[in-house]
Amino acid sequence: MSKKYSEMSKEELNAEKASLEKRYGEFKAKGLKLDMSRGKPGSDQLDLSSGLNDVKDYIENGVDLRNYGILDGIPSCKKLFADLMCVNPKNVIVGPNASLTLMFDYISQCYTHGAGDIPWCKQENIKFLCPVPGYDRHFTILEHFGIEMININMMKDGPDMDKIEEYVKDASVKGIICVPKYSNPQGITFSDEVVRRIAALKPAAKDFRIIWDNAYCVHDLDENGDKLLNIFDVLTEYGNEDMVIEVCSTSKITFPGAGVSALIASDNNIAEIKKRLGAQTISYDKMNQFRHVQFFKDANGVLNHMKKHAAILKPKFDTVLKHLDNELSGKGIASWFNPKGGYFISLDVMNGCAKRVGELCREAGVVLTTVGATFPYGRDENNSNIRIAPSYPTVDELNTAAELLCICVRLAAVEKLLG
C-alpha cells in the first residue's frame, strides 16, 4: 500500500523528489507537444459524421429550405430534438451551430428587456449562482454582462441545494447556470432529489431563470450511463414551468463548428424568445438542420451514433483513470471523480499546487486547461482543480500525457511539503 506523503519523513520526501525529477527529466527530453486543454472531438470522431454532407435535395413539405423563412426551425428538426429531450416540439426552438449562442442571446434578452420584470440592466447588483468547478464559458457570458457570480460547491449528487435555497431568498439573485448531466468538468449527474429541489425553488426574484445547459444529454461512455430526471416533467408540479431555459446541441455529436443547437422552454418563454428572434434573424441554417435530420432519421439514430463515439472515447478515459489510480491512489495528494460520460475528468490536487502542476506540464510539452478556468473570474481559491480533456489526443499520446501529469502532481506535492 502506498504511503501518504504527509506521513513521510524529510529524508523520504527528498528521495521521492529525486526519483520524480529523474522521471520528469526523461519526459522533458522527449520534446512533447500534447494538448489536453479543451474538450475537442478527435478526427476519428469527426469522421463518424462524414455522411452528413451527402444530402442533395433540400425540400421539406414542399418548402425550399435554401430560402428565407421558418424562424424557429424546420418541423422535422424540432421533432428530432423534442423526441431526444422528451418534450413537445412546440416547446423547441432550433438554433445556430452552438448552444453557447442561445445562452448568450437569452441572457442578453433578460438584460435588455427583462424576464417578466424590469430589465436586468436597470436593476442593481444582479447575481447568478454558479456550481463550481464549472464551465468557463458560462462564467465568461455572465462576466460580459457584469453579473456578479456566486460560487456554489458541487456535491456528489449535484450543487449544494441548501446553499441555493438560502441564496434565492435574495431578490437580486436572478438565476443559476449549470450542466445537469455529466457536469463540466466533474462528470457529476444531478440526482432526482436535486432536480426536484431545483424545480421546487421559490425565489424572491420573480424574474429568476435557470439556464439548464444539457450539453452531454446523450454522451454516455457505455450502456450503463447516468439517468437525468427530465426537469420539465416536474416543473408544473410547483408552478415553475417558466423558470427553466434548457439548451443542447449536436456540437460533440456531429461537427462542433457546424452542428445544430436547440432551446427548450415553456410556452410563455418560447413566445418571448420568438419576439426577439423576429428582430434578430430571418432564420437559422435550415439546410444544416435538414442535413442532420436526413443523417440521423430519428432520435434512435442519434443514440446509435453516440455508441460509436463511446467506443472511441471510453478507452481514452480509461487510460487517464488507470494512470491516476496507479500513480496517485493512497498518497493523500489528489482526488478525482470517475465519470460515466461527458468530456472531462476533474482532478483535485493538493491545495496550493495546481498552478505548479500546470507549469511543470507545460514545460514538458503538455498543455492543460488554464488553472482557475473552472471557477468564476478565474479564481480557484484553493489552487487545486485541474480539468483534464482526454478526447483529442490518441490513446498512445494519452498514455504519455497522463503519466507525465501524475509525475507533475506528485512532484508539486513533494515540493510543497518540503517548503
Side-chain angles (χ1 to χ4, degrees), residues 12 57 63 79 113 118 150 182 240 262 320 362 377 388 406:
E12 287 174 317
D57 180 6
V63 176
K79 183 178 188 308
H113 285 69
I118 301 166
I150 299 172
Y182 303 136
N240 280 338
V320 174
R362 186 169 58 252
Y377 312 108
I388 304 169
C406 291

Side-chain angles (χ1 to χ4, degrees), residues 101-156:
T101 304
L102 293 175
M103 289 187 278
F104 183 95
D105 287 347
Y106 185 72
I107 296 289
S108 178
Q109 175 181 316
C110 295
Y111 193 79
T112 58
H113 285 69
D117 199 2
I118 301 166
W120 289 354
C121 66
K122 295 182 179 179
Q123 300 184 46
E124 292 186 5
N125 304 320
I126 64 170
K127 303 164 189 167
F128 249 67
L129 307 179
C130 300
V132 294
Y135 180 31
D136 53 324
R137 296 290 185 129
H138 288 167
F139 309 147
T140 301
I141 292 173
L142 296 173
E143 191 169 6
H144 176 82
F145 288 100
I147 297 171
E148 181 183 337
M149 294 176 273
I150 299 172
N151 291 4
I152 301 292
N153 288 333
M154 283 288 286
M155 318 297 275
K156 290 182 179 179

